[in-house]
Amino acid sequence: MRMRMAAAAAAGLLVLAGCGGGTTNGAAAGGSSAAPEDRTLTVFAAASLTESFGELEKQFETDNPGVDVVLNYGGSSDLAQQIVNGAPADVFASASDSTMKTVSDAGLVDGTPSVFAKNVLQIAAVPGNPKGIMSFADLAKPDLKVVVCAPQVPCGAAAGKIETATGVTLRPVSEEPDVKSVLGKVTSGDADAGLVYVTDVASAGDKVQGVDFPEAAQAPTTYPIAVITDAPQTELGRSFVNMVTGEPGQKVLGAAGFEAP
């Protein structure tokens, strides 16, 4: 009898030890040391934001472990139409109020868009400016190969406004879907000059030479940003918008040459 009682007591201690060990491991697995849930934040952004948003992407991912920011760049008009057609986006950062309105009119903007930056056009010429381009009117010279954005794209619409205001008619060799495509035509040598934003010229470094022209101030570009209605990651989207419009975003955008809103 004494032996049976001792064996039972020992078994009970083993059971208690086993229960205690399970509780400790479970707390470790479900506590603060657990890996955060992986989430994807999809941001549709104007092509001229490529460098700035690329930097903000890294910063946001660092501040939000487990989050993967996927950036889809392009012409604002094309991006707006993609969203209206059902493309999955959490945030839309446009290079014009009109393209944001396309999304808003479709009932796809959550809240009110916030303007977070401004920009103006600049001439991107071949390094050394061998054609001697000194003004907007010079772009109309018949011996120049000039490239611009398509009219429906914000940078193309801005160029059209300047043509109307100055009475200068450009005859581009091509109309591109976004500013980065225009810039690529110049850096590749396929064009003598192109109309892009000052931030694009800055991002290209010594691959192009920037030429300012005062008429650019007559057609400034504003950048609104908004969370998409019923987005898969609404709260993350709001956090991203807050970063862009707040001090971290404004610091990055200012360093790239964007003007404050």
Side-chain angles (χ1 to χ4, degrees):
M1 178 65 73
R2 286 195 296 269
M3 291 178 66
R4 286 198 296 270
M5 291 176 65
L13 289 173
L14 288 173
V15 171
L16 289 173
C19 291
T23 302
T24 301
N25 292 337
S32 60
S33 61
E37 178 187 359
D38 291 339
R39 293 173 291 173
T40 299
L41 179 70
T42 304
V43 179
F44 281 35
S48 52
L49 295 166
T50 298
E51 291 77 21
S52 298
F53 270 39
E55 186 172 343
L56 292 176
E57 170 194 9
K58 297 175 183 177
Q59 186 172 337
F60 192 79
E61 290 176 344
T62 298
D63 295 341
N64 298 271
V67 173
D68 178 25
V69 179
V70 176
L71 291 162
N72 179 27
Y73 297 114
S76 294
S77 55
D78 288 340
L79 295 177
Q81 198 57 54
Q82 289 176 33
I83 294 172
V84 170
N85 290 340
D90 296 301
V91 175
F92 180 36
S94 173
S96 76
D97 293 323
S98 62
T99 51
M100 180 61 77
K101 189 174 185 297
T102 298
V103 178
S104 180
D105 286 350
L108 298 175
V109 169
D110 182 48
T112 303
S114 301
V115 174
F116 64 94
K118 292 182 180 179
N119 217 342
V120 292
L121 292 179
Q122 188 178 38
I123 299 168
V126 172
N129 194 9
K131 296 292 186 175
I133 301 168
M134 302 301 293
S135 67
F136 182 79
D138 285 345
L139 296 178
K141 292 180 178 179
D143 62 331
L144 282 182
K145 291 186 292 183
V146 176
V147 180
V148 299
C149 291
Q152 69 271 20
V153 184
C155 55
K161 289 179 182 178
I162 296 172
E163 286 185 82
T164 300
T166 60
V168 175
T169 301
L170 304 183
R171 294 175 176 80
V173 294
S174 72
E175 295 179 339
E176 300 297 315
D178 56 62
V179 287
K180 295 304 183 185
S181 298
V182 173
L183 197 62
K185 291 288 185 180
V186 181
T187 58
S188 66
D190 292 332
D192 299 312
L195 277 174
V196 297
Y197 293 115
V198 294
T199 52
D200 298 299
V201 171
S203 70
D206 58 5
K207 294 180 180 179
V208 297
Q209 181 169 329
V211 179
D212 293 320
F213 58 98
E215 297 90 347
Q218 299 181 43
T221 293
T222 58
Y223 290 73
I225 189 170
V227 176
I228 301 303
T229 302
D230 297 327
Q233 298 292 344
T234 302
E235 291 306 316
L236 271 181
R238 288 171 181 155
S239 295
F240 186 84
V241 169
N242 288 338
M243 183 185 70
V244 172
T245 58
E247 184 178 351
Q250 293 302 298
K251 182 178 180 180
V252 170
L253 291 161
F258 286 93
E259 298 177 12

